[in-house]
Amino acid sequence: MAPQRFREQYDQIQRSMPDVPLAIGPDDAGEFLYEKGVVLARDGEEARLVEDTVRQHFTTFAGLTADHVRRTGPETNRSGITRIQVADPGQGDGSGDPAVAGALRALREPEGRTGRRLVSRNHVVSIAVNACPGDEPVPVEAGAQPNPAVADGAYAPDGAVGVLVIDTGLMNDYRSYPLLAHTRGDAQVEECGDDGILRQYCGHGTFIAGLVAAVAPNTDITVRGTLNDAGAILESEFGEKLFEAVDQDGWPDILSLSAGTSNGRTDGLLGVDAFMRELRQQRTLLVACAGNNSSASPFWPAAYADLPGFENAVLSVGALRGDGEFGACFSNHGAWVKAYAPGERLTSALTGFDTPVPYVYQHSTYEACRYGFGYACTCRHPRHTGVLSEEGGSGKPDQVMFEGLAQWSGTSFATPVAVGMVAAHMTARAETDPRAARQQLMDANSELAEVRGATVPALIPATWRPTPVALPSART
């Protein structure tokens, strides 16, 4: 049975958010997930306009009445977003939501009058959309070294570059990895299930912190467990959580974000709009992953890098395959992706430094690349059978043991490589402005790669070791 990766992840994220009925959009096309029966609007007059407009139009929907339309939860918050219920979320299945689609249509005319969007779906922001992130982690041989390897330089607290990672929390034994001895942050919630098996996406934040520290040893890294719940959070909550993180830790030099969502639009994500406008006024550089859908659709917040006013504030990062010459099969792409970094089979800290920890694969590999590439990509290798792909089938899920380091792929991990390169540049040049460092790094960079026929900037650390890959087919 061929795996249906997006559907498998939909089921898994839905189980992690049992009180939030989800739908697949747009129209079951498998591009993003969103909360059923709910739309988002800005607080105040706009929310009231949305509520009134949708209520006036609801006589056109069979089985629904104006009583379905009501604001839910607190009306005001730091992110400036109001949730408006437009239907019973328990109706129907996850293949779409006619009530939400109708609410979006009802607001098209007011949008035209005001010149900006008034309403949005409540998307799921996740580290895992259509891939996991580009694959699942793979154990490495005893004695393996990190890749990228540890760069020259030492940690100096007084001059270290501040990096805030918004992700899953830190594994309980993360300080056993020397590079993370001075890292701080939130603990990973529920590392293992009742069966002692490592939960999916556990170690994601630890892996990212290890990559930053390897490329840029002189960094003060803080990891916040904003995405501990299967790497997913509703858009309506995400903006608020971002504000909470910077309120707790202060605005860092660099904010590393390996999560996001597409939304079928080119004007941003309503739930993080207030945070992004505040970010623009700060000195912080946001480095965000481009996503793993092998798509040109903008993935937010990374795609803010292509919006006017955010050019210097956001760096969007796609993933290169193992040889660094071409884009990885899973990487999103397009003019909104401003740089690419190694993101296939990187080696970093995961978990199990004191005691080996078992992991059971959730997704099966494919017979051929699901995106049509011909090289030995992460879709196919290394071979394993996963729980979600084999429900009701005859395959037995594969179990492995993790102790120390692991290999993992995804734009999730290309992102901290790019973070490390900006931070290392700041240290080497005694540059205190992270946005200036980003521009200097990009201007001085001479490395190039090919992605979908386009020549793109490649940020490749000197300590990264490329891995040979089989020659690709004509599609690269």
Side-chain angles (χ1 to χ4, degrees):
M1 177 173 69
Q4 300 293 325
R5 186 66 55 85
F6 188 88
R7 174 61 66 172
E8 292 168 10
Q9 289 181 305
Y10 165 80
D11 292 340
Q12 193 163 41
I13 290 174
Q14 180 65 88
R15 283 195 292 270
S16 76
M17 307 171 76
D19 298 327
V20 183
L22 300 178
I24 296 173
D27 302 323
D28 201 27
E31 183 178 342
F32 51 75
L33 306 179
Y34 64 97
E35 183 182 12
K36 288 179 61 181
V38 169
V39 296
L40 303 182
R42 296 178 184 87
D43 291 342
E45 289 300 322
E46 291 192 12
R48 283 187 281 275
L49 173 60
V50 169
E51 187 178 9
D52 292 344
T53 302
V54 174
R55 183 175 285 115
Q56 291 169 9
H57 284 71
F58 253 63
T59 55
T60 62
F61 299 107
L64 298 174
T65 71
D67 292 336
H68 284 103
V69 185
R70 60 183 182 275
R71 277 169 276 182
T72 62
E75 183 175 344
T76 59
N77 51 63
R78 184 82 176 272
S79 61
I81 293 299
T82 296
R83 292 173 70 254
I84 300 176
Q85 183 172 319
V86 296
D88 176 2
Q91 291 184 345
D93 57 24
S95 61
D97 191 335
V100 168
L104 297 177
R105 286 194 298 271
L107 268 296
R108 284 177 181 169
E109 184 178 351
E111 176 182 354
R113 292 201 304 267
T114 62
R116 69 174 182 172
R117 173 174 44 144
L118 296 179
V119 68
S120 166
R121 293 178 176 90
N122 192 14
H123 302 88
V124 174
V125 178
S126 175
I127 63 175
V129 180
N130 216 16
C132 51
D135 62 357
E136 291 177 87
V138 178
V140 297
E141 296 178 358
Q145 297 299 306
N147 188 22
V150 182
D152 292 335
Y155 172 65
D158 292 340
V161 177
V163 176
L164 175 60
V165 176
I166 302 295
D167 209 87
T168 63
L170 292 160
M171 303 301 282
N172 71 83
D173 51 5
Y174 73 93
R175 282 200 170 96
S176 299
Y177 187 54
L179 283 178
L180 299 181
H182 56 270
T183 297
R184 64 188 181 92
D186 299 329
Q188 170 69 50
V189 177
E190 292 187 279
E191 295 182 5
C192 297
D194 294 338
D195 54 4
I197 302 296
L198 189 68
R199 293 167 62 90
Q200 194 177 26
Y201 311 125
C202 278
H204 194 265
T206 305
F207 196 94
I208 285 170
L211 290 170
V212 174
V215 178
N218 192 26
T219 44
D220 269 326
I221 303 170
T222 302
V223 179
R224 289 296 163 213
T226 306
L227 301 170
N228 268 333
D229 194 357
I233 189 171
L234 286 173
E235 177 184 342
S236 57
E237 302 171 6
F238 188 50
E240 200 73 12
K241 291 294 185 180
L242 290 173
F243 275 121
E244 289 178 8
V246 296
D247 287 346
Q248 179 175 357
D249 300 297
W251 287 90
D253 293 314
I254 305 173
L255 177 58
S256 179
L257 178 62
S258 293
T261 182
S262 58
N263 63 354
R265 298 186 63 99
T266 59
D267 58 353
L269 203 62
L270 198 61
V272 301
D273 183 62
F275 178 83
M276 294 303 297
R277 285 188 280 109
E278 178 67 21
L279 170 76
R280 190 167 53 185
Q281 304 305 314
Q282 302 292 331
R283 58 185 295 277
T284 297
L285 173 67
L286 171 62
V287 184
C289 73
N292 304 316
N293 301 333
S294 194
S295 169
S297 295
F299 189 79
W300 308 99
Y304 276 92
D306 208 38
L307 295 187
F310 291 96
E311 302 92 335
N312 297 322
V314 182
L315 176 61
S316 49
V317 183
L320 298 175
R321 72 184 193 186
D323 61 3
E325 296 182 9
F326 296 89
C329 72
F330 52 78
S331 181
N332 285 351
H333 52 89
W336 57 273
V337 184
K338 301 305 179 182
Y340 291 77
E344 195 171 68
R345 300 188 178 100
L346 301 181
T347 304
S348 182
L350 186 71
T351 187
F353 301 103
D354 298 324
T355 305
V357 180
Y359 178 75
V360 175
Y361 283 105
Q362 302 297 297
H363 305 285
S364 296
T365 46
Y366 291 70
E367 293 301 321
C369 174
R370 62 189 185 275
Y371 304 120
F373 287 69
Y375 76 100
C377 65
T378 58
C379 296
R380 298 188 288 153
H381 301 283
R383 304 291 297 172
H384 53 252
T385 298
V387 173
L388 299 178
S389 306
E390 298 299 325
E391 289 183 349
S394 58
K396 180 180 179 181
D398 292 324
Q399 178 174 307
V400 293
M401 301 294 291
F402 285 108
E403 185 176 11
L405 305 183
Q407 283 188 346
W408 214 344
S409 306
T411 60
S412 283
F413 311 123
T415 296
V417 170
V419 167
M421 292 194 68
V422 175
H425 180 91
M426 293 177 68
T427 297
R429 301 291 181 89
E431 175 60 70
T432 59
D433 184 343
R435 297 183 183 182
R438 169 218 182 265
Q439 191 60 52
Q440 294 163 11
L441 179 66
M442 296 294 289
D443 289 345
N445 180 63
S446 60
E447 296 282 357
L448 300 171
E450 184 179 328
V451 176
R452 308 288 179 136
T455 301
V456 300
L459 297 178
I460 298 180
T463 60
W464 175 68
R465 302 183 302 276
T467 56
V469 300
L471 290 177
S473 64
R475 180 182 176 184
T476 55

